[in-house]
């Protein structure tokens, strides 16, 4: 099982979107392996351009890092329900942010 130190690695990125982005898939795969998620090997990584786009709003990186911290703390505390809730909330925000950005880019009225 990955250690708390392994999980915390992406949390030390100090506002560096490119570095955070490079560690994000590994972080999520580690979480899935802890959860013994059978879909770990069939869920594709988020394409780099989509990840960077979803991290582009000013608050997005700090929000993602806070969500990762919540997941790590929940796993450390062996609180599966809290970890699941943190992961669901995080993924919902990422998908919504990406969708909002794509929608704004496609809107010819702007």
């Amino acid at each position: 099982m990955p250690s708390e130190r392994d999980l915390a690695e992406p949390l030390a990125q100090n506002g560096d979107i490119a570095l955070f982005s490079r560690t994000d898939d590994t972080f999520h795969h580690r979480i899935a392996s802890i959860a013994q998620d059978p879909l770990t090997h069939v869920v594709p990584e988020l394409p780099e351009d989509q990840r960077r786009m979803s991290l582009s709003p000013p608050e997005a990186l700090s929000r993602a890092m806070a969500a990762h911290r919540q997941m790590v703390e929940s796993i450390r505390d062996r609180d599966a329900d809290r970890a699941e809730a943190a992961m669901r909330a995080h993924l919902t925000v990422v998908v919504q942010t990406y969708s909002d950005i794509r929608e704004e880019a496609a809107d010819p009225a702007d």
Side-chain angles (χ1 to χ4, degrees):
M1 171 164 24
S3 70
E4 183 178 346
R5 185 176 143 249
D6 290 337
L7 289 172
E9 180 184 338
L11 303 180
Q13 306 309 334
N14 298 322
D16 186 335
I17 291 175
L19 188 55
F20 181 88
S21 183
R22 286 194 302 269
T23 62
D24 194 47
D25 281 330
T26 301
F27 176 84
H28 284 276
H29 281 285
R30 286 177 179 156
I31 298 286
S33 72
I34 289 169
Q36 298 176 349
D37 184 345
L39 297 178
T40 301
H41 302 291
V42 298
V43 177
E45 285 81 9
L46 186 64
E48 190 63 26
D49 61 326
Q50 289 179 355
R51 178 178 288 110
R52 286 182 187 239
M53 187 182 296
S54 70
L55 288 169
S56 65
E59 73 287 350
L61 181 59
S62 62
R63 196 170 51 217
M65 291 178 71
H68 282 202
R69 270 190 206 89
Q70 289 175 344
M71 287 178 254
V72 170
E73 290 168 3
S74 300
I75 291 166
R76 179 199 62 215
D77 296 344
R78 299 185 183 281
D79 188 336
D81 292 337
R82 195 172 91 214
E84 179 183 2
M87 178 64 82
R88 285 184 186 279
H90 172 54
L91 294 177
T92 298
V93 167
V94 169
V95 168
Q96 187 62 55
T97 301
Y98 178 72
S99 177
D100 290 348
I101 291 169
R102 294 277 308 197
E103 192 173 295
E104 287 174 18
D107 188 356
D110 288 336

